[in-house]
Amino acid sequence: MILAMTVGVLAAGGTYLLLQREMVRMVFGVGLLSHAANFLLLASGVPAWRDEPLVNRMDMAQAADPLPQAFVLTAIVITLAVTIFMLALAVLGHNDDTRRPPETGETHEK
């Protein structure tokens, strides 16, 4: 139940931040959504009836499924790379949040 609530809170917070106008908030939103997806993948491994794969402590047939863990590890690496790329775009990109008129002399209707 706690895992499901954590996924819900992370997904809601990520969606809220993703809908914001500022690029840095959007990057944080993507990060939160990726963490929610990682928790969802880990929950798919059914951790309730599986134990840690420790030798001589349990039957290896009952050990945790390594496939969701491998997916999550890959997703963490991909998310880190995408976050760094998006932050670089936020630093180098044009700031649309300023209310200052452009220096080219353009006028915008309100």
Side-chain angles (χ1 to χ4, degrees):
M1 181 70 174
I2 291 176
L3 191 58
M5 288 175 50
T6 303
V7 168
V9 167
L10 285 175
T15 303
Y16 173 75
L17 288 175
L18 196 59
L19 295 176
Q20 299 296 313
R21 187 178 169 104
E22 299 172 8
M23 184 70 173
V24 175
R25 290 184 184 198
M26 294 169 81
V27 171
F28 288 147
V30 169
L32 285 181
L33 281 176
S34 70
H35 287 305
N38 289 341
F39 277 129
L40 198 61
L41 277 173
L42 282 179
S44 70
V46 191
W49 53 273
R50 295 183 185 230
D51 291 329
E52 294 83 16
L54 299 175
V55 178
N56 298 331
R57 291 221 172 193
M58 62 168 299
D59 184 20
M60 294 309 282
Q62 297 291 325
D65 190 8
L67 190 60
Q69 295 171 1
F71 284 153
V72 168
L73 232 107
T74 305
I76 288 171
V77 171
I78 291 171
T79 300
L80 183 64
V82 168
T83 301
I84 290 171
F85 180 70
M86 289 178 70
L87 285 175
L89 288 179
V91 169
L92 298 175
H94 180 69
N95 188 3
D96 289 335
D97 297 330
T98 58
R99 296 185 186 266
R100 184 174 46 112
E103 297 175 5
T104 58
E106 296 176 10
T107 58
H108 295 277
E109 297 177 15
K110 291 186 179 181

